[in-house]
Amino acid sequence: MIWRRRREGRDGGLAGAAPERAIIDIGSNTVRLVVYGGTMRAPTVLLNEKVTARLGREIAATGRLADEAMAMALRGLKRFALLLADLGVTDIDTVATAAVRDAANGGEFVDQLRALGLKPRVISGEEEALLSAHGVIGAFPDARGIVADLGGGSLELVKVAAGTTESATSLPLGTLRLPDYRPPGRKGEGARAEMMKALDKAIRKGGWDLSGNPPEANGTLYLVGGTWRAMAVFAMAFQRYALSDPHGYEVDAATARQLVAALAATDADTIKARDRISSMRAEKLPDAAVLLQALLARLAPEKVVFSSWGLREGLLYDRLPAHTRTQDPLLAGVAVFAAQRASEATLATRMAAWTLDAAPAREHGSERLRLAATMLALAAMQIEPNIRLPQAINWALHKRWVGIDGKGRAMLAAAISANGNQLNLPAEVRALASAEALEEALRWGLALRLARRLGAQSRRSLEVSRLVVEGDTLVLRLAESHAALFGQPTEKDMKLLSQRLKLGWRVDVVPESAL
């Protein structure tokens, strides 16, 4: 009986979390299944599988989904349906986009999906644009600018500001249709210029021309979709960027123009040789780069941000209650991740409060970032000491966090490092933030180290002590009942922190009532 319960506990679990919701996204290029767990405000991807069926490859020529493409898609969808049944996932959204809605035989394909037990929904171009925008808003709550979601069959454009959307549009400029804008039989710079001119005309015809506005008025251009993400990977390698996740990668408009000009002039075979870019994406990147050139010229953004959150995450975001939408996505994601590693958010919150007076977020960080660093640093203490630091720094720098930039990631890494008494930071961390920002985060980590080691992370130790700054002195106040907590390790930690703060230090033993 015990064996059976243990087995049942393992069954249906992925990556230590229960699969709760699934989305099947039937696009013009790929058919994808994503299974999510954790908090839906910052969901954990437990399974992500795709079939490159290229459903939309013949629509421009025949107006229909190709028989071979449908057969490949249906084979993958049968597998997806079986996987979900075996995992016990019943909350499933199945959505189809441009290829299915535009094809003359799209209805026949939908009937075959229903025969598999799926409940497909063919969404309009406007709805696709709005869902992608909601995904961006979920990832970047302060988003202001334009979302450009590039799929195989269409390009969706929509304005976002203050959590709202406006002017949702779908244009027939998907990656499968971009070759139609190339001048036949021509290559080189002149051909790219002619292609850009044709794309520019299509963008203006769709009602998008913001080139007369100052860039700061147009805001940020948020790029959503697999081809844009592959472009971000290319750009990150081109710039020798220290991070690996394209989500949140940001470049100013001038740099973006330089990058896409270089990419547009690069042949697909050269791109295929790059790590982390598939052959399918490599084939499409030069044309997509010309499209982005046209968008940059006509939309005139202040900067460009690549978002891995789009339509699927928009579907998740739309289902959230209003109070959950207001949650900070970074803290929501880190809290679940840390809790899975025996680090509860309540303990981290107490320790962040205990260290607030001595090492607050000042000029470079924020209290939300300091709390996230505290949760991750405490979770890192569950890792074996010989592999702890590099693994925890990898969490900070390379895990898919939402609502954080490169500087924030570097400050997370610095705080985690100082919590382990390692003050010499790796070069990849130092490349992402100023010395002043990293110094602030190092102080967070040293203060946390003191809080953590003072009473072995017990709640009682935080109740019978206070850490404050009085003038030019760092003061640890301890209740008389717990004066013995100030041992040799605590003294070392006090000295480390006070030296970093450029303060003197002392310990005051007081009645508990004085605390």
Side-chain angles (χ1 to χ4, degrees), residues 155-347:
L155 169 71
E156 277 66 48
L157 297 173
V158 57
K159 293 180 181 178
V160 294
T164 63
T165 58
E166 180 187 346
S167 305
T169 308
S170 182
L171 303 177
L173 300 177
T175 56
L176 293 172
R177 295 178 175 180
L178 291 180
D180 297 338
Y181 289 85
R182 295 183 203 148
R186 293 180 54 196
K187 293 183 178 181
E189 187 174 349
R192 291 192 296 274
E194 195 170 329
M195 180 182 181
M196 180 176 166
K197 185 177 179 181
L199 291 169
D200 178 78
K201 182 179 178 180
I203 293 166
R204 284 186 289 110
K205 186 178 178 181
W208 290 86
D209 185 2
L210 305 179
S211 57
N213 300 337
E216 57 270 21
N218 294 335
T220 299
L221 178 60
Y222 298 91
L223 300 180
V224 175
T227 300
W228 292 143
R229 287 195 298 275
M231 185 178 290
V233 170
F234 178 93
M236 292 163 78
F238 187 82
Q239 290 195 309
R240 297 183 179 179
Y241 191 55
L243 300 181
S244 57
D245 186 0
H247 178 75
Y249 175 60
E250 176 182 314
V251 291
D252 59 56
T255 302
R257 286 191 287 270
Q258 294 173 356
L259 287 168
V260 293
L263 183 54
T266 305
D267 64 89
D269 288 338
T270 301
I271 299 171
K272 287 177 185 176
R274 300 266 184 167
D275 290 337
R276 301 173 59 214
I277 298 179
S278 69
S279 295
M280 182 192 76
R281 299 298 184 195
E283 293 285 352
K284 294 174 174 56
L285 277 177
D287 286 348
V290 178
L291 173 62
L292 186 50
Q293 285 180 307
L295 289 171
L296 290 170
R298 198 51 62 184
L299 303 181
E302 187 174 20
K303 60 183 178 181
V304 172
V305 170
F306 294 84
S307 175
S308 293
W309 277 33
L311 183 148
R312 292 183 293 274
E313 291 73 22
L315 286 165
L316 299 178
Y317 185 77
D318 275 0
R319 288 250 309 258
L320 295 176
H323 70 274
T324 305
R325 291 187 187 185
T326 63
Q327 291 177 356
D328 185 293
L330 174 64
L331 294 179
V334 172
V336 170
F337 179 82
Q340 291 171 346
R341 288 150 184 83
S343 175
E344 294 299 329
T346 50
L347 174 62

Side-chain angles (χ1 to χ4, degrees), residues 448-459:
L448 174 61
R449 179 179 175 84
L450 174 60
R452 173 175 61 79
R453 284 161 42 102
L454 176 66
Q457 300 185 185
S458 70
R459 178 175 180 172

